[in-house]
């Protein structure tokens, strides 16, 4: 929906010639409504993603879209400002900045570490811990998985232990 909205508004802006103030006002009101409704859809999707994370745990396939939705909403807000200021030609620059912001956010967040920490917090709150999934994360997650061997019950130790042993064997084979 977001891509269709952006594409449609950009195409209409490019193709139409709004010569009077009334034509410009109709275009801006229509575009603003479309952008507003799309942001409402993004907020709804963001909240649904939060519910999935709270109910089933954090995964890459939930964290990446979550971060992406934030940057997409920022891009829409910038796009609306560009429309109002009649600077739509700066959209490509704004899209590039949003893309760089998305990647930088993931770099700072370190998704695998974030996922492990959030799932451990869920575990402390009484939810299940999907040790099998946590074991598939990158080596970045290993330091946060090691305490699971010592501070938690044997069920957790039995679940996470083989994954950590597998990671250790992989590291040993690289020498």
């Amino acid at each position: 929906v977001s891509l269709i909205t952006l594409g449609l508004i950009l195409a209409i802006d490019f193709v139409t010639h709004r010569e009077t103030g009334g034509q410009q006002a109709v275009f801006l009101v229509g575009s603003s409504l479309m952008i507003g409704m799309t942001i409402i859809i993004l907020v709804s999707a963001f909240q649904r993603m939060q519910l999935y994370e709270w109910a089933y745990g954090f995964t890459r396939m939930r964290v990446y879209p979550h971060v992406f939705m934030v940057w997409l909403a920022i891009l829409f807000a910038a796009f609306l400002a560009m429309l109002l200021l009649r600077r739509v030609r700066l959209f490509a620059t704004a899209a590039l900045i949003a893309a760089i912001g998305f990647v930088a956010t993931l770099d700072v967040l370190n998704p695998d570490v974030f996922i492990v920490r959030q799932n451990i917090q869920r575990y402390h709150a009484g939810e299940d811990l999907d040790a099998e999934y946590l074991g598939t994360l990158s080596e970045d997650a290993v330091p946060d998985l090691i305490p699971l061997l010592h501070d938690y019950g044997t069920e957790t130790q039995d679940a996470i232990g083989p994954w950590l042993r597998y990671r250790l064997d992989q590291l040993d084979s690289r020498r």
Side-chain angles (χ1 to χ4, degrees), residues 142 162-173 175:
V142 170
W163 290 106
L164 290 173
R165 182 68 199 174
Y166 174 72
R167 291 286 184 201
L168 180 61
D169 291 342
Q170 281 184 324
L171 290 172
D172 283 343
S173 70
R175 288 187 203 181

Side-chain angles (χ1 to χ4, degrees), residues 14-91:
F14 182 74
V15 171
T16 61
H17 299 285
R18 297 169 303 278
E19 296 170 2
T20 67
Q23 292 172 338
Q24 182 67 20
V26 168
F27 173 73
L28 289 176
V29 167
S31 298
S32 299
L33 286 173
M34 286 178 65
I35 289 171
M37 288 186 281
T38 303
I39 288 176
I40 289 170
I41 291 170
L42 283 172
V43 168
S44 173
F46 186 87
Q47 290 174 336
R48 280 194 317 265
M49 192 61 66
Q50 274 185 323
L51 291 174
Y52 279 121
E53 289 167 343
W54 291 338
Y56 302 111
F58 288 73
T59 65
R60 286 183 190 132
M61 293 303 291
R62 293 183 185 124
V63 171
Y64 291 165
H66 217 152
V67 173
F68 181 74
M69 283 185 259
V70 171
W71 281 101
L72 193 55
I74 290 169
L75 178 62
F76 266 105
F79 183 52
L80 181 59
M82 286 178 238
L83 283 172
L84 295 173
L85 297 172
R86 296 184 182 185
R87 303 270 187 221
V88 179
R89 66 181 177 276
L90 297 175
F91 175 74

Side-chain angles (χ1 to χ4, degrees), residues 134-154:
L134 296 180
T136 64
L137 298 174
S138 72
E139 284 79 11
D140 290 346
V142 170
D144 290 301
L145 291 174
I146 291 173
L148 294 176
L149 288 176
H150 306 292
D151 302 335
Y152 299 89
T154 58

